[in-house]
Short mmCIF file of all heavy atoms in Angstrom, two decimals:
data_model
loop_
_atom_site.label_atom_id
_atom_site.label_comp_id
_atom_site.label_asym_id
_atom_site.label_seq_id
_atom_site.Cartn_x
_atom_site.Cartn_y
_atom_site.Cartn_z
N PRO A 137 5.96 17.67 -37.55
CA PRO A 137 4.84 18.53 -37.88
C PRO A 137 4.96 19.94 -37.30
O PRO A 137 5.74 20.16 -36.38
CB PRO A 137 3.62 17.79 -37.22
CG PRO A 137 4.10 16.47 -36.92
CD PRO A 137 5.58 16.58 -36.68
N LEU A 138 4.19 20.85 -37.78
CA LEU A 138 4.16 22.19 -37.17
C LEU A 138 3.39 22.11 -35.87
O LEU A 138 2.42 21.33 -35.74
CB LEU A 138 3.50 23.16 -38.16
CG LEU A 138 4.14 23.25 -39.58
CD1 LEU A 138 3.27 24.01 -40.52
CD2 LEU A 138 5.53 23.81 -39.49
N ALA A 139 3.74 22.87 -34.89
CA ALA A 139 3.13 22.91 -33.59
C ALA A 139 3.26 21.58 -32.83
O ALA A 139 2.40 21.25 -32.04
CB ALA A 139 1.61 23.29 -33.68
N VAL A 140 4.30 20.89 -33.12
CA VAL A 140 4.64 19.62 -32.50
C VAL A 140 6.15 19.59 -32.21
O VAL A 140 6.91 19.89 -33.09
CB VAL A 140 4.23 18.38 -33.25
CG1 VAL A 140 4.78 17.07 -32.69
CG2 VAL A 140 2.73 18.28 -33.41
N ASP A 175 9.86 27.28 -31.89
CA ASP A 175 8.58 28.00 -31.89
C ASP A 175 8.48 28.84 -33.16
O ASP A 175 9.41 29.61 -33.49
CB ASP A 175 8.52 28.90 -30.67
CG ASP A 175 8.36 28.11 -29.39
OD1 ASP A 175 7.96 26.94 -29.46
OD2 ASP A 175 8.72 28.64 -28.29
N ALA A 176 7.32 28.79 -33.82
CA ALA A 176 7.13 29.53 -35.06
C ALA A 176 6.86 31.01 -34.76
O ALA A 176 6.02 31.34 -33.95
CB ALA A 176 6.00 28.91 -35.85
N ALA A 177 7.61 31.89 -35.47
CA ALA A 177 7.35 33.33 -35.34
C ALA A 177 6.06 33.63 -36.10
O ALA A 177 5.66 32.96 -37.04
CB ALA A 177 8.51 34.09 -35.93
N ARG A 178 5.45 34.75 -35.76
CA ARG A 178 4.14 35.12 -36.32
C ARG A 178 4.15 35.24 -37.81
O ARG A 178 3.19 34.94 -38.51
CB ARG A 178 3.67 36.41 -35.64
CG ARG A 178 2.33 36.90 -36.13
CD ARG A 178 1.82 38.00 -35.22
NE ARG A 178 0.48 38.46 -35.63
CZ ARG A 178 -0.31 39.16 -34.88
NH1 ARG A 178 0.07 39.46 -33.65
NH2 ARG A 178 -1.52 39.55 -35.25
N LEU A 180 5.97 33.64 -40.10
CA LEU A 180 6.36 32.49 -40.87
C LEU A 180 5.16 31.83 -41.47
O LEU A 180 4.06 31.60 -40.89
CB LEU A 180 7.05 31.44 -39.97
CG LEU A 180 8.41 31.85 -39.38
CD1 LEU A 180 9.01 30.73 -38.49
CD2 LEU A 180 9.40 32.27 -40.49
N PHE A 182 4.04 28.57 -44.63
CA PHE A 182 4.55 27.30 -45.14
C PHE A 182 5.75 27.47 -46.11
O PHE A 182 6.66 26.63 -46.11
CB PHE A 182 3.38 26.60 -45.92
CG PHE A 182 2.46 25.79 -45.09
CD1 PHE A 182 1.27 26.33 -44.66
CD2 PHE A 182 2.81 24.48 -44.73
CE1 PHE A 182 0.41 25.56 -43.89
CE2 PHE A 182 1.97 23.71 -43.89
CZ PHE A 182 0.71 24.27 -43.50
N SER A 214 2.27 13.32 -39.87
CA SER A 214 1.16 14.27 -39.89
C SER A 214 1.56 15.48 -40.82
O SER A 214 1.94 15.21 -41.99
CB SER A 214 0.89 14.83 -38.50
OG SER A 214 -0.34 15.49 -38.44
N LEU A 215 1.56 16.71 -40.38
CA LEU A 215 1.90 17.84 -41.26
C LEU A 215 3.35 17.83 -41.61
O LEU A 215 3.83 18.56 -42.49
CB LEU A 215 1.50 19.15 -40.57
CG LEU A 215 0.00 19.58 -40.69
CD1 LEU A 215 -0.22 20.86 -39.91
CD2 LEU A 215 -0.35 19.76 -42.16
N TYR A 250 -13.57 18.37 -40.80
CA TYR A 250 -13.47 19.65 -41.43
C TYR A 250 -14.66 19.93 -42.39
O TYR A 250 -14.75 21.01 -42.98
CB TYR A 250 -12.19 19.72 -42.27
CG TYR A 250 -10.95 19.78 -41.36
CD1 TYR A 250 -9.95 18.79 -41.47
CD2 TYR A 250 -10.76 20.79 -40.46
CE1 TYR A 250 -8.83 18.79 -40.68
CE2 TYR A 250 -9.64 20.84 -39.68
CZ TYR A 250 -8.68 19.83 -39.78
OH TYR A 250 -7.57 19.87 -39.01
N LEU A 269 -7.99 34.77 -36.35
CA LEU A 269 -6.61 34.29 -36.28
C LEU A 269 -5.58 35.39 -36.39
O LEU A 269 -4.59 35.39 -35.67
CB LEU A 269 -6.35 33.25 -37.39
CG LEU A 269 -7.12 31.96 -37.29
CD1 LEU A 269 -6.89 31.09 -38.54
CD2 LEU A 269 -6.74 31.20 -36.04
N LEU A 272 -5.56 37.14 -33.05
CA LEU A 272 -4.85 36.38 -32.02
C LEU A 272 -3.42 36.22 -32.25
O LEU A 272 -2.62 35.78 -31.38
CB LEU A 272 -5.57 35.03 -31.88
CG LEU A 272 -6.98 34.93 -31.30
CD1 LEU A 272 -7.54 33.55 -31.41
CD2 LEU A 272 -7.02 35.46 -29.85
N GLY A 273 -2.99 36.40 -33.54
CA GLY A 273 -1.60 36.13 -33.90
C GLY A 273 -1.37 34.62 -34.09
O GLY A 273 -0.20 34.23 -34.05
N GLY A 274 -2.38 33.88 -34.31
CA GLY A 274 -2.25 32.44 -34.53
C GLY A 274 -3.12 31.65 -33.58
O GLY A 274 -4.09 32.14 -33.10
N ILE A 275 -2.70 30.39 -33.42
CA ILE A 275 -3.47 29.50 -32.44
C ILE A 275 -2.55 29.27 -31.28
O ILE A 275 -1.47 28.68 -31.43
CB ILE A 275 -3.83 28.16 -33.12
CG1 ILE A 275 -4.58 28.47 -34.46
CG2 ILE A 275 -4.63 27.33 -32.20
CD1 ILE A 275 -4.93 27.14 -35.21
N PRO A 276 -2.94 29.75 -30.10
CA PRO A 276 -2.07 29.63 -28.85
C PRO A 276 -1.78 28.16 -28.51
O PRO A 276 -2.61 27.28 -28.76
CB PRO A 276 -2.90 30.38 -27.81
CG PRO A 276 -3.96 31.09 -28.46
CD PRO A 276 -4.23 30.40 -29.79
N ALA A 277 -0.64 27.96 -27.89
CA ALA A 277 -0.22 26.65 -27.48
C ALA A 277 -1.27 25.91 -26.64
O ALA A 277 -1.59 24.71 -26.87
CB ALA A 277 1.13 26.67 -26.73
N LEU A 279 -4.42 26.08 -26.63
CA LEU A 279 -5.56 25.67 -27.49
C LEU A 279 -5.15 24.45 -28.31
O LEU A 279 -5.94 23.49 -28.54
CB LEU A 279 -6.03 26.80 -28.34
CG LEU A 279 -7.30 26.51 -29.19
CD1 LEU A 279 -8.47 26.04 -28.32
CD2 LEU A 279 -7.70 27.74 -29.96
N VAL A 280 -3.94 24.45 -28.88
CA VAL A 280 -3.43 23.35 -29.66
C VAL A 280 -3.38 22.09 -28.77
O VAL A 280 -3.79 20.99 -29.16
CB VAL A 280 -1.98 23.65 -30.21
CG1 VAL A 280 -1.42 22.39 -30.85
CG2 VAL A 280 -2.08 24.76 -31.23
N SER A 283 -6.89 20.83 -28.06
CA SER A 283 -7.51 20.22 -29.24
C SER A 283 -6.97 18.84 -29.44
O SER A 283 -7.69 17.92 -29.79
CB SER A 283 -7.20 21.13 -30.49
OG SER A 283 -7.75 22.42 -30.33
N MET A 322 3.58 20.80 -26.79
CA MET A 322 3.17 21.32 -28.07
C MET A 322 3.11 22.84 -28.09
O MET A 322 2.43 23.43 -27.26
CB MET A 322 1.77 20.75 -28.43
CG MET A 322 1.78 19.32 -28.81
SD MET A 322 0.13 18.77 -29.32
CE MET A 322 0.53 17.10 -29.84
N PRO A 323 3.83 23.46 -29.04
CA PRO A 323 3.77 24.93 -29.19
C PRO A 323 2.51 25.33 -29.98
O PRO A 323 1.80 24.42 -30.49
CB PRO A 323 5.04 25.24 -29.94
CG PRO A 323 5.29 24.05 -30.75
CD PRO A 323 4.82 22.89 -29.96
N GLY A 324 2.28 26.57 -30.15
CA GLY A 324 1.14 27.01 -30.98
C GLY A 324 1.50 27.15 -32.41
O GLY A 324 2.63 26.95 -32.83
N TYR A 325 0.52 27.50 -33.23
CA TYR A 325 0.73 27.83 -34.66
C TYR A 325 0.89 29.32 -34.81
O TYR A 325 0.18 30.12 -34.18
CB TYR A 325 -0.49 27.42 -35.52
CG TYR A 325 -0.62 25.93 -35.67
CD1 TYR A 325 -1.56 25.21 -34.94
CD2 TYR A 325 0.13 25.23 -36.62
CE1 TYR A 325 -1.71 23.84 -35.08
CE2 TYR A 325 -0.01 23.84 -36.74
CZ TYR A 325 -0.96 23.16 -36.00
OH TYR A 325 -1.12 21.79 -36.15
N SER A 326 1.81 29.70 -35.66
CA SER A 326 2.01 31.15 -35.88
C SER A 326 0.81 31.72 -36.64
O SER A 326 -0.01 30.99 -37.21
CB SER A 326 3.28 31.38 -36.71
OG SER A 326 3.03 31.01 -38.13
N GLY A 327 0.73 33.03 -36.66
CA GLY A 327 -0.41 33.71 -37.35
C GLY A 327 -0.56 33.32 -38.80
O GLY A 327 -1.61 32.85 -39.25
N LYS A 328 0.52 33.49 -39.59
CA LYS A 328 0.45 33.22 -41.02
C LYS A 328 0.21 31.78 -41.27
O LYS A 328 -0.58 31.40 -42.19
CB LYS A 328 1.76 33.68 -41.70
CG LYS A 328 1.69 33.65 -43.18
CD LYS A 328 2.88 34.27 -43.82
CE LYS A 328 2.76 34.32 -45.36
NZ LYS A 328 3.99 34.90 -45.99
N LEU A 329 0.87 30.87 -40.54
CA LEU A 329 0.62 29.46 -40.76
C LEU A 329 -0.79 29.04 -40.49
O LEU A 329 -1.38 28.28 -41.28
CB LEU A 329 1.55 28.61 -39.87
CG LEU A 329 2.97 28.35 -40.26
CD1 LEU A 329 3.79 27.71 -39.17
CD2 LEU A 329 2.96 27.44 -41.48
N SER A 330 -1.32 29.55 -39.42
CA SER A 330 -2.72 29.19 -39.06
C SER A 330 -3.69 29.66 -40.12
O SER A 330 -4.68 29.01 -40.51
CB SER A 330 -3.08 29.72 -37.67
OG SER A 330 -2.98 31.13 -37.63
N GLU A 331 -3.45 30.85 -40.67
CA GLU A 331 -4.28 31.39 -41.73
C GLU A 331 -4.19 30.55 -43.01
O GLU A 331 -5.24 30.26 -43.61
CB GLU A 331 -3.93 32.85 -42.07
CG GLU A 331 -4.15 33.81 -40.88
CD GLU A 331 -3.32 35.12 -41.03
OE1 GLU A 331 -3.01 35.47 -42.19
OE2 GLU A 331 -2.95 35.71 -40.00
N MET A 333 -3.33 27.42 -43.15
CA MET A 333 -3.98 26.10 -42.90
C MET A 333 -5.49 26.21 -43.07
O MET A 333 -6.10 25.29 -43.68
CB MET A 333 -3.59 25.64 -41.50
CG MET A 333 -2.17 25.14 -41.33
SD MET A 333 -1.81 24.72 -39.66
CE MET A 333 -2.97 23.47 -39.28
#
Side-chain angles (χ1 to χ4, degrees):
L138 304 169
V140 170
D175 293 336
R178 181 168 182 162
L180 296 179
F182 275 99
S214 195
L215 279 176
Y250 292 120
L269 293 174
L272 292 174
I275 305 176
L279 185 56
V280 172
S283 299
M322 287 183 173
Y325 289 102
S326 74
K328 189 173 182 181
L329 275 172
S330 60
E331 294 161 27
M333 287 175 59

